[in-house]
Structure formats: structure tokens, C-alpha cells
Amino acid sequence: MLDARTIDIIKSTIPLLESANTALTEHFYRRMFRDNPELKDVFNLSHQASGRQPAALFAAVLAYAKNIDNPAVLATAVERIAHKHTGFAIQPAQYDIVGHHLLETIKELAPDAATPEVIDAWAQAYGALAGIFIGREEQIYRANESKTGGWRGTRAFVVKEKRAESGQITSFLLVPADGGAVAGYLPGQYLSLHLDAAELAHQEYRQYSLCQAPNGRDYRIAVKREPGGTGSSFLHDHVQEGDVLQLLPPAGDFFMAVTADTPVVLISGGVGQTPMRAMLDQLLRQGHPAPIHWLHACENGAQHAFGDDIRQRRQAHANLETHVWYREPAARDRPAEDFDAAGLMDLNKVKERILLPGAHYYFCGPLPFMAMVKDTLSAWGIADEQLHYEVFGPHQQL
């Protein structure tokens, strides 16, 4: 527990943090990578270049300062970040490195305000937060290795199948090289890959949503080729069937948890359908009796991954309804067969079908797409606790 004086000092630095904004975290990452270049093998440098990671870290630091007297309100964020950290195999010693560079950044950017008292207060505050993360991450590590088929750290998996699902998305079926069982997971969670190859300038950790229900035998992920994406380009261009990849156990705080009488609406844009597929697969395997709605939007048929599979599932399950939007259908795309509507997804067009009592809504896709979904559903009066979403990469609030 932090004492009242420390809390007051941290709160007094909030205006300083707000005035610095992401310059604080950008400086932090520059000095950390300069002095500890080995961490370039841990952090996603693409997210550094885009500014998403500095922005996400700044939002987290500011939220912590504003809620320093009641950190329990940050429990959801802590859970999300702790799961992400386990996907990078973060260890306690690395928190010491981060803490050192954070304090040095404050001293360098605000030398007049960074009095010994302020630095001591932030050292205590950071230490308390690091302790929370270290404790929660150890719980996750232990839970993962104690599962049937579970493990800690990395484990070798063989690419059993590599299959193009669309013009941009390829799926990979992964089986354990040791022939053993694989740990279960909750539909919606992701798998972490540790990529280390001569083609890569640095070792890379990447998270990809699992796109099938757990079966104890194998994992399937689907990867979209991102322009300039280091990890996705490596997987698309260099990884072939028979190759071995190093995996960390499944993790993630975004997952489906519903009762048998809960209507479920799965909404996705582009590759955002990957966690939705795991959820749908689980619901159908379990014979979920309540209504299930699958809503998906993509560019056109050439970019529509898993389209045939979804159509087959719809025909086989009376309680599954689907609605697909193509933004710009190609001449070969068949209305009412390949897609249901042209243009951007418009939830109001299907409001009467998906506005169901007690329904839970899961959605994933590009940030503007998810913001549209959340704003629309909220405007219909759907409670926040019925809305669940996943942001690929550093988290951002919608």
C-alpha cells in the first residue's frame, strides 16, 4: 500500500504527464532500446514505428496516476496487459529495466519538477504496480503449465498445414513436435509465436487469434499479410509445411463466456473474424440452442476468408443466421449467395434480427469498424457488460 503522501505527490504530477503526452513514452522507448538493445527482440518494433505502443503506454501511465488511490478500477486493464506480457515471456527482471528507464525519462524531460521526493514517489508507485503484474503473470504461467497438455515458455510445433483462405489471409495448422496433447483455451484467446530466423533482423513475438474451438490435438491460426508487417510477411513468405515454430501457451482476456440460453451475435470486419470463428465453432460443437448470428464485412469475394465454410455451417444449423457485406463486390461475386449486401456494414438494416433480449455481442476488426459497432449497439440501449471486443495490437479505447 502506498502512503497518503506518496499518493498526493503522484497526483500532483498529473498535469506534468498530460503536458508531456506521448513525448514521455517516446523518449522512454528510445533510451531503453539504446541502453538495452536486447529488448528489441521482445517489443514489436512495427508498433513503435506506428506510434501505437508509445500511445498505449502513455494512456496506461496516465490512468495509473489518476487512479493511484484506487488501482482496483484498473483491474480489467491489468488483466489484459498481464496476458499480453505472458505472450512475450516477460520475466520479473525486465520490470527493473523498465522502471529504471521510466524514472530516468522523468528526470531528463522534467529536470525542474523531478525532485528527489517526486522520483521516490514514482519509484514506489512503479514498484507497487510491477509487483501486481509480476504476481498475476506468475499465476498465468503456472496455470498454463498445470493444464493437460500445458507448458511454460516455448514449445516446438510443426506446421502440418498451410492454406490460403483468401487473397490476404493464410491459415496454419500447428501440431506439437513431441506428439503430446495441447492445452485447451477459451474461444477468443490468442496464440503467441516466438519467431527467430536468419530472415529477421530481430527475434519477434507475435500474437494471432486461434480460429477453431479447442480439441486437445492441434491449434489453427489465420494470419493476414499486413503491408510492411515483419511477422506476417515472414509467415506468408518463408514458413512452409513441415517447418517448426516455437509457441507460447494460449492467453488473452477476450473470450466467450455464455450460458445455453444466451443469444450470441458475432460481428467482424476483415481478419477480425478469426476469434469469432473459434467462438462459432465452439457454439456449434456444443449444440448451443439459443440464436446465433454471424455478421461479417470485407472488401469482396477475393478477400472473403472462410466464406464456403460459413455457408456450409449455416445450412447445417437452423439456429445460425448469417449476413455478409462486401464493400465493393467484384463482377464474379454472387448477390444472395456470396454476400447479402453491398457497401459498408449497416447494423441498423438487421436491427430487428439481432436486437435480442439478453444477447451478448462479440466484435473485432479495424478500429473505426469496431467504434461504429460499439456506438451503434450502445445507441440501441445495449448495456456495456453485453459488449465485448478485441483490439489487435496495443489496446485502444473505442
Side-chain angles (χ1 to χ4, degrees):
M1 290 290 293
L2 299 175
D3 59 48
R5 178 59 180 161
T6 299
I7 290 172
D8 288 343
I9 293 172
I10 295 297
K11 283 188 168 292
S12 74
T13 65
I14 291 174
L16 178 66
L17 296 176
E18 292 176 327
S19 65
N21 206 277
T22 56
L24 175 78
T25 46
E26 289 166 0
H27 184 91
F28 159 81
Y29 280 118
R30 281 195 300 270
R31 81 174 332 273
M32 185 171 69
F33 291 141
R34 180 197 69 202
D35 294 354
N36 295 91
E38 72 277 7
L39 292 181
K40 292 181 180 180
D41 290 336
V42 177
F43 287 84
N44 185 326
L45 298 184
S46 296
H47 291 156
Q48 296 294 326
S50 70
R52 289 186 64 187
Q53 187 61 55
L57 178 59
F58 174 75
V61 171
L62 184 61
Y64 182 48
K66 289 184 173 180
N67 295 280
I68 193 70
D69 52 349
N70 186 22
V73 303
L74 303 176
T76 299
V78 167
E79 184 70 3
R80 179 179 62 250
I81 295 169
H83 275 271
K84 284 286 188 183
H85 284 179
T86 64
F88 291 94
I90 296 298
Q91 300 301 311
Q94 291 169 314
Y95 280 95
D96 294 336
I97 297 173
V98 169
H100 166 73
H101 289 293
L102 177 62
L103 297 180
E104 292 303 308
T105 294
I106 295 173
K107 293 177 185 178
E108 292 168 1
L109 291 188
D112 294 336
T115 64
E117 191 176 36
V118 166
I119 295 301
D120 181 64
W122 267 104
Q124 292 185 52
Y126 174 80
L129 184 61
I132 292 172
F133 277 116
I134 290 169
R136 179 61 186 127
E137 288 156 21
E138 178 59 23
Q139 289 177 341
I140 296 172
Y141 288 134
R142 290 183 179 180
N144 284 336
E145 67 180 336
S146 68
K147 292 179 180 178
T148 299
W151 71 96
R152 180 188 284 244
T154 58
R155 182 180 176 190
F157 277 69
V158 178
V159 179
K160 183 178 181 179
E161 179 184 73
K162 178 182 180 182
R163 185 173 68 203
E165 304 292 355
S166 75
Q168 293 180 318
I169 297 173
T170 295
S171 70
F172 299 81
L173 185 67
L174 308 168
V175 297
D178 60 17
V182 301
Y185 53 90
L186 298 171
Q189 291 188 305
Y190 51 77
L191 197 62
S192 294
L193 279 60
H194 182 207
L195 306 176
D196 185 10
E199 295 87 354
L200 299 170
H202 302 282
Q203 296 179 41
E204 304 282 352
Y205 287 90
R206 291 294 185 272
Q207 286 79 41
Y208 298 104
S209 297
L210 290 144
C211 60
Q212 66 181 20
N215 58 29
R217 302 184 308 273
D218 51 47
Y219 296 130
R220 185 181 290 277
I221 59 173
V223 180
K224 177 187 176 185
R225 181 192 290 275
E226 298 288 353
T230 301
S232 65
S233 295
F234 174 76
L235 290 168
H236 276 255
D237 297 337
H238 298 285
V239 173
Q240 303 300 330
E241 292 179 357
D243 288 349
V244 175
L245 296 174
Q246 297 296 325
L247 273 57
L248 290 93
D253 70 320
F254 174 69
F255 52 83
M256 182 182 65
V258 296
T259 59
D261 60 351
T262 302
V264 179
V265 182
L266 306 172
I267 308 172
S268 59
V271 75
Q273 71 165 298
T274 50
M276 306 298 136
R277 281 186 51 78
M279 296 179 187
L280 179 64
D281 195 20
Q282 181 87 323
L283 290 168
L284 297 182
R285 288 189 188 190
Q286 293 178 342
H288 190 73
I292 306 168
H293 289 266
W294 173 272
L295 280 63
H296 181 64
C298 60
E299 191 71 13
N300 51 44
Q303 305 304 329
H304 188 184
F306 305 107
D308 290 340
D309 177 68
I310 295 299
R311 283 187 285 272
Q312 293 170 7
R313 289 169 181 257
R314 179 189 62 201
Q315 294 169 1
H317 298 273
N319 65 325
L320 171 62
E321 289 191 31
T322 68
H323 199 89
V324 174
W325 286 259
Y326 284 177
R327 192 177 74 85
E328 291 187 355
R332 59 195 283 181
D333 295 332
R334 301 164 298 177
E337 292 188 48
D338 299 319
F339 69 102
D340 301 290
L344 299 176
M345 179 182 287
D346 184 355
L347 294 179
N348 288 303
K349 296 290 187 181
V350 293
K351 180 178 179 180
E352 292 184 359
R353 293 164 58 183
I354 68 172
L355 185 57
L356 304 170
H360 276 246
Y361 301 79
Y362 296 85
F363 49 101
C364 187
L367 284 170
F369 170 85
M370 290 196 293
M372 176 277 294
V373 173
K374 185 174 186 295
D375 289 346
T376 301
L377 298 179
S378 296
W380 293 355
I382 299 172
D384 285 347
E385 55 265 28
Q386 295 170 250
L387 306 179
H388 316 275
Y389 65 90
E390 170 85 317
V391 175
F392 290 162
H395 187 74
Q396 292 179 243
Q397 293 293 334
L398 298 183

